[in-house]
Amino acid sequence: AQSVAQPEDQVNVAEGNPLTVKCTYSVSGNPYLFWYVQYPNRGLQFLLKYITGDNLVKGSYGFEAEFNKSQTSFHLKKPSALVSDSALYFCAVRDGGGTYKYIFGTGTRLKVLA
Amino acid sequence: DSGVTQTPKHLITATGQRVTLRCSPRSGDLSVYWYQQSLDQGLQFLIQYYNGEERAKGNILERFSAQQFPDLHSELNLSSLELGDSALYFCASSVAMGQPQHFGDGTRLSIL
């Protein structure tokens, strides 16, 4: 069965430090992988995607993610966190096996401390 | 501003009632998606349309139905409402299937 796991409900990091938000997935076929961010009382905003190509994907606001096929992971990273990065982050996968279903992880709340 | 418009922003109704949520996709986007976000179940994919046709179905209840019209706007109909249907309902759109989705700000549905 398809699934997406974000093992950490919350990640705390000091401003200026690197951050990582973890995501692992299980899906048939070649997955389409996405990261989204949600600020309070707003819809989700697209950060980056992986469909094919280079395993390191660069996205908006200085975020990047690394696709690791053997570990079925797609962790979100940023070299230097900002207080304004504090938000709820969602990993999502679209089944590559033809069902076109989207599955979102449960979200990870990132708190960047000044 | 994502360019996706959802109306109404808030909706309060009673159990057993029926409501319709409306979504206007971003200009040029052919695909529309509906999601339900609640505290206990997270973000659940409900259904996707592409250029008027249903293309993917997620965890959508039989009491719920949706459609995409020729002008590409979409409606999500929720009937026989139960307390557990209280949630934030998001619409998203993308230019094509598999492309990044742009989300509206949601409709908050409260069932009393």
Side-chain angles (χ1 to χ4, degrees):
Chain A
Q2 305 165 76
S3 65
V4 174
Q6 292 182 244
E8 301 152 318
D9 289 337
Q10 181 158 322
V11 170
N12 295 327
V13 63
E15 187 175 31
N17 283 2
L19 68 89
T20 298
V21 182
K22 296 179 181 176
C23 172
T24 59
Y25 66 91
S26 174
V27 69
S28 56
N30 293 317
Y32 287 31
L33 296 159
F34 305 86
W35 275 101
Y36 290 86
V37 60
Q38 185 179 28
Y39 296 98
N41 301 314
R42 301 300 302 275
L44 281 67
Q45 294 178 34
F46 168 73
L47 282 178
L48 50 80
K49 68 176 180 181
Y50 174 84
I51 296 177
T52 187
D54 193 350
N55 289 345
L56 185 63
V57 179
K58 293 189 183 298
S60 306
Y61 312 119
F63 284 93
E64 58 189 28
E66 186 168 11
F67 171 65
N68 188 316
K69 188 172 183 177
S70 63
Q71 297 186 4
T72 60
S73 67
F74 190 56
H75 301 332
L76 180 71
K77 300 182 180 185
K78 187 173 182 181
S80 179
L82 300 172
V83 172
S84 57
D85 292 330
S86 298
L88 188 57
Y89 290 81
F90 288 95
C91 178
V93 61
R94 193 198 86 161
D95 180 29
T99 69
Y100 305 118
K101 290 183 181 180
Y102 283 83
I103 299 175
F104 280 73
T106 51
T108 297
R109 189 164 298 282
L110 174 66
K111 192 169 184 179
V112 181
L113 307 169
Chain B
D1 182 13
S2 68
V4 178
T5 303
Q6 289 188 247
T7 57
K9 291 190 186 304
H10 303 278
L11 199 48
I12 302 174
T13 189
T15 55
Q17 295 298 305
R18 173 190 169 94
V19 297
T20 297
L21 313 184
R22 195 178 192 279
C23 170
S24 294
R26 205 175 59 138
S27 178
D29 285 358
L30 297 177
S31 203
V32 169
Y33 312 77
W34 285 99
Y35 294 89
Q36 179 193 59
Q37 186 177 35
S38 59
L39 284 174
D40 57 343
Q41 299 229 349
L43 191 66
Q44 299 286 319
F45 168 64
L46 296 179
I47 198 164
Q48 178 200 357
Y49 285 84
Y50 180 76
N51 205 20
E53 293 189 9
E54 182 185 307
R55 297 309 297 264
K57 208 173 223 183
N59 301 323
I60 188 166
L61 300 173
E62 286 191 8
R63 300 183 285 110
F64 297 0
S65 65
Q67 59 184 122
Q68 185 180 27
F69 294 87
D71 67 352
L72 301 178
H73 91 272
S74 179
E75 292 181 357
L76 178 67
N77 299 295
L78 315 175
S79 62
S80 304
L81 287 168
E82 302 175 359
L83 293 176
D85 297 329
S86 295
L88 197 51
Y89 291 84
F90 286 109
C91 170
S93 71
S94 65
V95 63
M97 293 170 54
Q99 293 305 310
Q101 297 174 37
H102 302 270
F103 282 73
D105 285 339
T107 293
R108 184 170 296 280
L109 176 63
S110 299
I111 313 299
L112 303 180

